[in-house]
Amino acid sequence: MIGSPKLGRTSFLHQLLNSKLINPRLGLIKRAELRLLLFVLLTSTVMSALSVNLAGAQTHATITISSDGGVKGTDKIQRDGDIYTFTGDIYGSITVQKSGITIDGTGYAFQGADFSRGIDLVGYGTFPTRCWDVVVKNLRICNSGSWGIYTTSNNNSFIDNTFDSSGIHILGSRSGEGNLIKRNLFNNSYITIDYNSGGKDVVTENNFVNSGIYVTISRPPHVDGNYWSNYTTKYPNAKERGNTGIWNTPYDYDMSDSSHGTYPCIDDTPLVHPVSLEISDAPPVENETEPFPTTLGIATILAVAAISIGLLVYFKKHNYAPSF
């Protein structure tokens, strides 16, 4: 009997080409065959997963609402006069150069890139540039740590939006009537106000869930009538004022850190229950590239599996096996 070759000194490809994996007398799949099949199937799974991730990756849209009112960079924002309406989910950034407009998300989602400005009210012209009288409403903003809305101006209104791991950054708004932040849901998100000596921004009727307000080198905004998810933890002995839905102890946002400013940020009428918001509930549109990667992944798995089975059948049919 001729001894079988030493597998440790023979390449996997050499073994396959010399057909040492089948024992036709037993008609069974040996361990080496199982290893081959598992290896091929595992490889196909990894390849298909990578193909899904690469093919399904969203494209970052760089969008501009220009000073003349035009929209560049997307077909998912429709203009009707000074009203700009979302018609689908958007991943990207929006530079706003026009004042006096309304951006209505109609319940769709807007996601920005990490460490970037999502909706940037930069205005148009020489520095410093600003946009005034801009309304952003009914938008689900999830920016993974970046600023959902960034503004250096006043008299803007941010109403009925959801901020998820995102927030609003107000920088250097030193005059005017301030900005209105009303009936929004902040989830793991923050309002940051810095270098603002005006103190005329209004924060009211919002739900703060694991969220808060940071005031840096600024006068604090006027904060009134908001819901704070950690209120009962912070004030376990507080009680409702009659049946008013208002706690009897003001909510004092922790300003002990000097970097938050020198003025207290206090909600004198904190709400017992969350605010009933009016955010539109339009369903998100499906990713336009989704069918392609899904089909590609399935096709990859099936193709590699078919090749594996075909190799095994071919070897058995031709009786490729070691000699005895």
Side-chain angles (χ1 to χ4, degrees):
M1 181 182 294
I2 301 176
S4 56
K6 296 181 179 180
L7 298 181
R9 297 180 178 273
T10 308
S11 70
F12 183 82
L13 180 60
H14 182 74
Q15 296 172 46
L16 180 61
L17 294 176
N18 286 277
S19 311
K20 303 297 183 183
L21 302 177
I22 304 295
N23 188 336
R25 294 184 179 181
L26 297 177
L28 299 174
I29 300 177
K30 298 170 64 178
R31 288 184 179 179
E33 294 174 86
L34 287 173
R35 290 173 181 171
L36 169 64
L37 183 59
L38 290 174
F39 175 80
V40 174
L41 289 177
L42 179 60
T43 302
S44 68
T45 301
V46 173
M47 290 175 61
S48 63
L50 289 174
S51 67
V52 169
N53 289 335
L54 291 174
Q58 293 175 307
T59 301
H60 184 281
T62 302
I63 302 166
T64 301
I65 298 177
S66 59
S67 58
D68 62 5
V71 180
K72 304 174 183 177
T74 185
D75 59 357
K76 293 183 178 180
I77 297 179
Q78 300 297 318
R79 179 191 181 189
D80 182 8
D82 289 331
I83 308 296
Y84 294 79
T85 304
F86 273 54
T87 60
D89 295 340
I90 292 177
Y91 172 69
S93 60
I94 302 176
T95 298
V96 180
Q97 299 177 339
K98 182 176 176 57
S99 297
I101 67 171
T102 295
I103 299 174
D104 188 349
T106 60
Y108 284 106
F110 173 70
Q111 179 176 348
D114 289 342
F115 309 110
S116 68
R117 300 173 184 176
I119 300 176
D120 192 355
L121 309 183
V122 300
Y124 179 77
T126 58
F127 182 83
T129 58
R130 298 175 179 177
C131 281
W132 306 81
D133 300 312
V134 174
V135 177
V136 180
K137 65 179 184 178
N138 297 326
L139 194 58
R140 301 203 302 265
I141 304 175
C142 42
N143 280 69
S144 303
S146 62
W147 294 113
I149 299 176
Y150 180 91
T151 180
T152 59
S153 61
N154 295 279
N155 227 32
N156 303 302
S157 299
F158 312 123
I159 304 172
D160 289 325
N161 302 289
T162 294
F163 293 87
D164 191 359
S165 297
S166 182
I168 298 173
H169 189 179
I170 299 173
L171 174 64
S173 303
R174 299 175 180 173
S175 59
E177 298 301 321
N179 298 282
L180 175 63
I181 302 172
K182 184 175 182 179
R183 291 201 310 271
N184 300 282
L185 167 62
F186 291 91
N187 181 38
N188 293 314
S189 304
Y190 292 88
I191 299 171
T192 296
I193 302 174
D194 52 13
Y195 297 98
N196 180 0
S197 60
K200 297 181 180 180
D201 299 305
V202 176
V203 181
T204 184
E205 298 179 31
N206 301 282
N207 294 330
F208 287 90
V209 179
N210 299 321
S211 303
I213 304 173
Y214 287 120
V215 181
T216 309
I217 316 178
S218 304
R219 295 184 66 89
H222 177 71
V223 182
D224 181 66
N226 300 277
Y227 171 79
W228 307 87
S229 65
N230 68 337
Y231 182 89
T232 55
T233 301
K234 192 175 178 69
Y235 304 101
N237 297 321
K239 297 181 180 180
E240 183 178 357
R241 300 178 188 173
N243 295 318
T244 62
I246 299 173
W247 291 111
N248 65 354
T249 303
Y251 182 91
D252 185 353
Y253 191 77
D254 187 9
M255 301 295 292
S256 59
D257 185 344
S258 60
S259 67
H260 294 171
T262 56
Y263 295 91
C265 189
I266 299 175
D267 188 338
D268 288 319
T269 56
L271 301 180
V272 174
H273 305 290
V275 178
S276 179
L277 303 178
E278 300 179 4
I279 300 172
S280 177
D281 195 25
V285 295
E286 295 183 0
N287 191 328
E288 294 177 355
T289 62
E290 185 177 351
F292 170 69
T294 301
T295 303
L296 178 62
I298 295 175
T300 303
I301 295 174
L302 294 177
V304 177
I307 293 173
S308 303
I309 296 172
L311 285 172
L312 295 177
V313 172
Y314 180 82
F315 291 150
K316 283 181 177 291
K317 182 177 180 181
H318 290 80
N319 294 321
Y320 288 159
S323 301
F324 293 94

